[in-house]
Amino acid sequence: MSQLKVDSIVPRGGLPSGSSGGVIQTKSTIKTDTSSFSIGNGGTSSSVVSVSITPQSTSSKILIYATLTASKSDTGVFLKLFRGSTQIGQGDASGNRQRVSTHLLTDQNFLISSTTCVFLDSPSTTSSTTYSIRVGHGHPSTQTVQINRPESDSNATQIGRGVTIITVQEVTA
């Protein structure tokens, strides 16, 4: 079997003057099964889905595409993006408000919704780095968040199942 290995791929016509960049590697994980997380007020779940990548250079950036499909009918669900144990791609701190990457809302217990977050990270490392999606909610008490399924999961054609995906690309600046 033949292999072709390159450091980057540049368009045949070259890059525009003064520009640089390219994709070095891509890693992805898809979660197709269902799960649930019981989360306290203002809390964050463990990893819903994760992917690891080992950057080739400390100057590389990691482009993250995160899609969460979930259900929590009365408050919606927060997508929280993490590098290892550090939350990244989050809003500014303000009082008691949760710092999140994005939010989805399902106002009926038989619906699921999806939300996507795209974030460019600068991990400055050549060590294996794990990125993950975690979830939270806005209800004032402990609540259960459903992943890839609605709260009311009856066996009917109007009920959907979804996927949660995290994809990372090492890119040069």
Side-chain angles (χ1 to χ4, degrees):
M1 180 165 88
S2 299
Q3 289 186 343
L4 174 63
K5 294 183 179 183
V6 297
D7 290 332
S8 67
I9 297 174
V10 177
R12 179 177 49 192
L15 294 171
S17 177
S19 68
S20 62
V23 175
I24 299 169
Q25 61 175 317
T26 302
K27 305 284 183 179
S28 187
T29 301
I30 182 169
K31 176 180 176 57
T32 59
D33 62 334
T34 64
S35 59
S36 61
F37 293 91
S38 181
I39 307 164
N41 179 26
T44 302
S45 73
S46 57
S47 174
V48 174
V49 66
S50 65
V51 65
S52 295
I53 190 167
T54 303
Q56 293 183 8
S57 170
T58 57
S59 64
S60 292
K61 297 190 182 307
I62 304 297
L63 184 58
I64 306 152
Y65 305 90
T67 299
L68 171 68
T69 301
S71 177
K72 176 68 196 90
S73 65
D74 58 349
T75 63
V77 180
F78 299 136
L79 183 157
K80 298 181 179 185
L81 192 59
F82 278 77
R83 178 193 340 108
S85 60
T86 302
Q87 190 173 348
I88 59 174
Q90 61 189 340
D92 289 343
S94 179
N96 292 326
R97 295 165 184 87
Q98 292 189 57
R99 300 178 71 187
V100 305
S101 300
T102 188
H103 175 261
L104 64 88
L105 181 63
T106 53
D107 61 357
Q108 302 291 326
N109 69 356
F110 59 89
L111 297 176
I112 55 174
S113 290
S114 294
T115 187
T116 298
C117 175
V118 178
F119 181 72
L120 185 63
D121 189 36
S122 301
S124 301
T125 186
T126 55
S127 297
S128 179
T129 304
T130 300
Y131 291 92
S132 64
I133 296 173
R134 300 184 189 185
V135 295
H137 63 81
H139 199 278
S141 65
T142 298
Q143 297 287 305
T144 300
V145 173
Q146 303 296 334
I147 307 299
N148 292 341
R149 58 157 277 199
E151 286 182 287
S152 173
D153 194 31
S154 61
N155 186 19
T157 57
Q158 68 270 27
I159 302 298
R161 292 283 177 94
V163 297
T164 296
I165 305 166
I166 188 164
T167 301
V168 293
Q169 292 185 316
E170 180 182 5
V171 297
T172 60

